[in-house]
Amino acid sequence: MMEEDMENGRSYQERPRTFSTVRSKSSIPLVFRLLMRINPRALIILSLLVFSGVLYVGASTSPIVVFVFCICTLSLFFSLYLTKWVLAKDEGPPEMSEISDAIRDGAEGFFRTQYGTISKMACILAFVILGIYLFRNTTPQQEASGLGRATSAYITVVSFLLGALCSGIAGFVGMWVSVRANVRVSSAARRSAREALQIAVRAGGFSAIVVVCMAVFGVAILYSTFYVWLGVDSPGSMKVTDLPLLLVGYGFGASFVALFAQLGGGIYTKAADVGADLVGKVEQGIPEDDPRNPAVIADLVGDNVGDCAARGADLFESIAAEIISAMILGGTMAQRCKIEDPSGFILFPLVVHSFDLVVSSVGILSIRGTRESGLISTIEDPMSIMQKGYSVTIMLAVLTFGVSTRWLLYTEQAPSAWLNFALCGLVGIITAYAFVWISKYYTDYKHEPVRLLALSSSTGHGTNIIAGVSLGMESTALPVLVISVAIISAYWLGQTSGLVDESGNPTGGLFGTAVATMGMLSTAGYVLTMDMFGPIADNAGGIVEMSQQPESVREITDVLDAVGNTTKATTKGFAIGSAALASFLLFSAYMDEVASFAQLPFKEVDIAVPEIFVGGLLGSMLIFLFSAWACSAVGKTAQEVVNEVRRQFIERPGIMDYKEKPDYGRCVAIVASASLREMIRPGALAIISPMAVGVVFRILGHSTGQPLLGAKVVASMLMFATVAGILMALFLNTAGGAWDNAKKYIETGALGGKGSESHKAAVTGDTVGDPFKDTAGPSLHVLIKMLATITLVMAPIFL
């Protein structure tokens, strides 16, 4: 029908912008609007003054910090080069740019509303944190350094707000580039698949470099500012080994924003997607992204706010939490080992991620365009091209990681310790590669699992669902084995590094695990590039479909879209693995923090104690309840979309014949309001639960003579939630990705192709998997890290 309509000339030649009412206010953040009003020369002078001030503060702290600042500054210039390169590409014919403008208006309008809501909640939580810290106890170390309650409170609140602000900016950057790159990828697909691939990769690379750079820059600036302001290491002041604990608020702020961004964006994108598929594909039998579907613009907007903005905030939070936890453990170990200059062990994470910026930039530039036209050959498909870039990045990461360990972790107390830690980093890098490969194996339709899942669709909807659930459950085994081997190997390498405390006990085990985590995230920039590639390619395909381009162009974007589904799934697996290791580190930091405040040993959690076992049950329950509420939110919102789309098809029968235009804006408004409403309940559950459990069992512990009961129950809750959350996230992400690519495989012509009974069953599976892979799954690994950071920040109220 689509081809017949196009031949008869029945298409939308004049599409007005649909979102003028959504964008009643400027969607550009206030900070950027103010900067845009400044004279360019004045802005350059102001930037130079700020950079000079930052360099001065860094020089007053350590030459290592100066190195980090310089690398970050050069990386920002590189991101500007990528921006200029991408924006220089043409936007194609007017029908493409009009659709792109509609997507941009909808995405930026929702972003402004969503982050306005998140910022209000962040301000309320900041006052709660301030009140808790003003009345909490202080550690002997803080009392000795003169760091009173008020100073500690204001430092934590400022760190929290700065982390939240930077996380929000990271999300804005991810969304900003995606809504401008999508149409340029669509236009390039009319000429060459390789050129379209290169534009999508470089657009994702811009966002990735900025996000990683902001995470490193933010932590480094906070560390340097506190170092200079508090007079660290001067007589009667705080020791440098205690300074990283002041940065925990920064990680909490980043986790807070990332969780709500992931929830709201995930609910938006999947509710629109499910609504569009159920009525458009299944009931009306029209193609995906068909312009006759009233929910198609909402679906394309959702790719940007759910996959780009939310993922940018997500990875920012991952890097920030990992850096801070590694700095805390590095400082603790250096203090126990009486290392004369502990700055190398504390600043090591910042240097690793500085090199991450360098190696990821090289990996991005290694993907080059060609003059060849047409579909990418089966010998060199998009996934293999991106994997070559990832291989280049990994090889360079191994070299730079070895240089970093020799430079910063060499100590005369244990001359060979740096080599052990370099091997820990290698363990982390291998773990990251293994996670990427495992996720690709279970989600790429070139491999057997997805093809068997597609084959199950030929016998009906039910068998498709059964096969998808079983595939998701099976996919948890290999990642868990990889994580287990990585933790034990890294811990053993750290323990045998030769670093010992005053009693002669090995102390490098936990720091070895931290170094492995840094190794895993040492290619985070390139991994985020691959992740951002997915929604950009998906949007490009939607623009091509809606603007009714030739089938040959759609074939190119279909290939890129299928690869994008795989890259999104692999990077989610990567994020879950890093979340598991980072949570392990933050859990250890939490136990040290409790012991410091309580002045009591706290080295183990005995789950044979009934109250502590109950805490573990509550932690596991939290994961299932959170996932249920997240999926339920998608289901409720999707029902509203389905009803609206059905209504429009009934009341406007001319839509199917291109005689009437769908009301796209109505679907966008429904999804936007519902997603903002539905994200509150699961987000509030994640924040309130650990605090409520800790306070209740603290009261019970004091009444029964168990002073650490509240802290121990929270520790048990955190442990069980981490384990259950990792398994649940792996299951949800992999099953959802496999269902999606099984549908894509059938749409290539296998098992009857589009419109067949197998295709309808695969669409049902994809619909079930949508809230799994893009709402509940990604939100869970953010939840795991947020639970770890919130318990670390709130530790004093559990005592």
Side-chain angles (χ1 to χ4, degrees), residues 696-710:
V696 168
F697 280 95
R698 170 195 174 181
I699 296 172
L700 180 62
H702 281 288
S703 63
T704 57
Q706 303 177 73
L708 289 182
L709 183 62

Side-chain angles (χ1 to χ4, degrees), residues 254-277:
S255 299
F256 176 83
V257 172
L259 180 66
F260 281 98
Q262 191 69 70
L263 275 172
I267 294 169
Y268 187 111
T269 182
K270 290 302 107 182
D273 194 4
V274 169
D277 283 355

